[in-house]
Amino acid sequence: MQRNLHHMADTEHDVLVIGGGIYGASIARDAALRGMRVALVERGDFGHATSFNSLKVIHGGFRYLQHLDIRRMRISIRERRIMMTIAPHLIEPLLFCLPTHGHGIRGRMVMRIALGLNDLIGFDRHPPNQPKTRLPGGHLLSKRECLQLFPGLDRSGLTGGAVWPDCQLMNSERLLMGVLHQAAEYGAQIANYVEVTGFLRHDHRIDGVQVFDRLAQEKFDVRARLVVNAAGPWVDHVLHRPNGIPGASTVRWSKAMNVVIQRKPTSRYALGVWSPYDFRDDQAVIQKGGRLFFLVPWRHLTLIGTTHTDFPHAPDSLTVCEEEVQHFLDEVNAGYPALALEADDVLHVNVGLLPRAEGQQTGRDVPLLKEYRLIDHRREHGVDGLLTVVGVKFTEARHVAERVVDEISRRVTGRWDACRTASIPIWGGEIEEWERWRGTPIRIDDITLPHDVQEHLYRSYGAHSDTVLAYCRKPNMAERILENAPVLTGELVYAVRHEMAVTLQDAIARRTDLPLYARPSDTWLNRCADVIGEELGWNPEHRRDQVAQCLSGCSWGWSSVSSSSRG
Ligand SMILES: Cc1cc2nc3c(=O)[nH]c(=O)nc-3n(C[C@H](O)[C@H](O)[C@H](O)COP(=O)(O)OP(=O)(O)OC[C@H]3O[C@@H](n4cnc5c(N)ncnc54)[C@H](O)[C@@H]3O)c2cc1C
């Protein structure tokens, strides 16, 4: 995957995608696989915004039963199965447990019915190409079994637990990379650090965009027969750019937050914990009555989420402050006192903006938009050649991309293939039997690599582990960067040469996942900066700046934790 802006500027594309989050990347992949000439531009690094911050749950839609939304459940179940099929190295089944209480909506009888319905509606939930990966049916646990799994649960009123299967993304950044790599393999021209600053327009038709290359500090135009605005929380800002649609307003946004806790998971089940505070979802047929947190075991860490609050400000002003993090921990502790979470347990805070539903905030949470929005600006504003898409879940990005590219293929004349993203594995996912394949030993100079390094390479690069390993066979390149992390030095070189990593943060947080193993420190950041700086020809000042930037932020995604915040 190479950045070639001259080629991008010289080509008349069929589609230009604005935004390199999971939605933009999935649209680019789908369109490229159908044979379209595609360009994608991202103003920062790929996946640095909302997509970096998810709770990593690939939902099968159990919660949509509450809305009796069977159609959406079927879509989620299908998407979960497809993700297990096309990216088997990145998706793992995960069991969820929700403690049961009393005889009402949280009681065993209601849960038994819900679990039965969930199994019935998800009759085809297993991935066809991975015979060893099976999602078991839902079932009830007795009180004793539930307490064995989670000894810290409050026993009073507890009657047991309801268990259902879902899936988890082991590494969302590598999934995004796999999607982008594949789009590029099928001819898409992709670039990070290229910002859309305006539109090319003739009367009522958009013919492309004006962009600014933030690395070379140069402007140029990119021509396309159709432009798709997939800029996440910035969709309106993009529309308001020169020659765009002034005053256009798509959706309202809410601030969503998770925390990454530096504690080894004590159970392989994710646990639902009720907050003591009220929440009413006006769109739900069945009210569950409170905010539900999930404690999700994820690799060697625990994720906890998610809170949603109104955010009526500009997306660039999103921050999170220490006080908010403390409130979050207090609320989780109130729901599950045995956890006794403290600020020091927090390794990272994930924060992002999600589209919210209209209507009032009730209790502490805001209701979220339930379905993606695809806006045809010809119909809405009389401007041809431009679509805007707003997604609501990482899980549904492939499905929504299919709908968007179906629309594009109706609008842009050409002989396009049918959608193939459900059956062709993403880059790295071309693995017949993952469980058997991951056991194959990897060697460098006849020495078998330690188990954790092998697992990491297979999990990160899947079928392309060997390609990346070639960079680790050179002198000093097979060394670990951190003693306790399986990431090898050569991976940083690969990230720069083939995955457009141009900053220290790109390479360590979004191509590899080093910050999950240690808080940022001068020593290891400098070690990484030496390798990356050598590749990119950094001078000492630039190198120092890069390290300082990484040291200044606690969060590796969108915003850093500050002493006061917006929203
Ligand atoms: C806390 C949290 C928890 C979540 N948990 C889950 C979960 O467990 N499961 C699930 O399925 N979903 C989850 N989600 C939702 C999921 O993460 C989002 O739906 C998804 O990531 C949205 O992706 P996107 O591509 O639309 O947006 P983004 O990832 O924000 O991408 C938009 C991109 O557009 C770029 N851009 C903006 N302006 C311009 C411009 N002018 N030029 C070029 N590029 C531009 C931005 O830089 C950005 O990278 C969660 C979200 C949050 C915040």
Side-chain angles (χ1 to χ4, degrees), residues 17-27 40-59 63-64 72 83 96 167 169 172 176 191 193-198 210-212 214 229-235 237-239 241 253-259 296 303-308 315-316 318 349-355 368 389-397 558:
V17 183
I18 307 171
I22 191 62
Y23 277 79
S26 302
I27 293 165
L40 178 147
V41 289
E42 161 57 52
R43 75 167 191 168
D45 187 29
F46 305 120
H48 77 104
T50 326
S51 300
F52 186 80
N53 290 289
S54 92
L55 194 64
K56 323 274 186 270
V57 179
I58 299 301
H59 301 274
R63 64 176 64 180
Y64 307 140
R72 193 165 179 214
M83 283 183 95
F96 280 71
C167 277
L169 255 175
S172 45
L176 181 69
Y193 297 100
V194 172
E195 177 165 5
V196 169
T197 52
Q210 300 160 335
V211 297
F212 180 64
R214 295 175 62 192
N229 173 13
W234 292 271
V235 283
H237 287 245
V238 167
L239 293 173
R241 300 282 174 141
W253 297 90
S254 73
K255 176 175 176 174
M257 190 166 111
N258 297 331
V259 294
V296 181
L303 305 179
I304 308 181
T306 302
T307 55
H308 305 281
D316 282 328
L318 181 69
V349 178
N350 291 143
V351 62
L353 296 179
L354 293 180
L368 296 181
V389 61
V390 177
V392 296
K393 285 261 173 254
F394 204 105
T395 309
E396 293 169 6
W558 191 332

Side-chain angles (χ1 to χ4, degrees), residues 136-177:
H139 55 276
L140 289 174
L141 298 177
S142 67
K143 178 173 176 175
R144 194 173 54 85
E145 287 168 327
C146 195
L147 285 168
Q148 265 168 2
L149 283 175
F150 302 103
L153 280 177
D154 183 1
R155 288 154 193 257
S156 63
L158 181 74
T159 54
V163 173
W164 71 93
D166 241 321
C167 277
Q168 179 174 50
L169 255 175
M170 302 313 284
N171 189 329
S172 45
E173 286 61 56
R174 291 306 322 167
L175 184 107
L176 181 69
M177 276 296 138

Side-chain angles (χ1 to χ4, degrees), residues 87-104:
H89 58 309
L90 290 166
I91 314 287
E92 278 278 294
L94 175 69
L95 291 175
F96 280 71
C97 173
L98 185 63
T100 52
H101 293 93
H103 299 287

Side-chain angles (χ1 to χ4, degrees), residues 3-69:
R3 202 167 180 268
N4 186 341
L5 300 187
H6 289 297
H7 193 24
M8 188 182 274
D10 287 346
T11 311
E12 162 95 32
H13 305 276
D14 295 312
V15 190
L16 174 119
V17 183
I18 307 171
I22 191 62
Y23 277 79
S26 302
I27 293 165
R29 169 178 179 247
D30 190 320
L33 257 67
R34 294 197 207 196
M36 296 178 186
R37 280 166 307 180
V38 180
L40 178 147
V41 289
E42 161 57 52
R43 75 167 191 168
D45 187 29
F46 305 120
H48 77 104
T50 326
S51 300
F52 186 80
N53 290 289
S54 92
L55 194 64
K56 323 274 186 270
V57 179
I58 299 301
H59 301 274
F62 182 53
R63 64 176 64 180
Y64 307 140
L65 266 182
Q66 187 201 353
H67 300 88
L68 299 182
D69 191 346

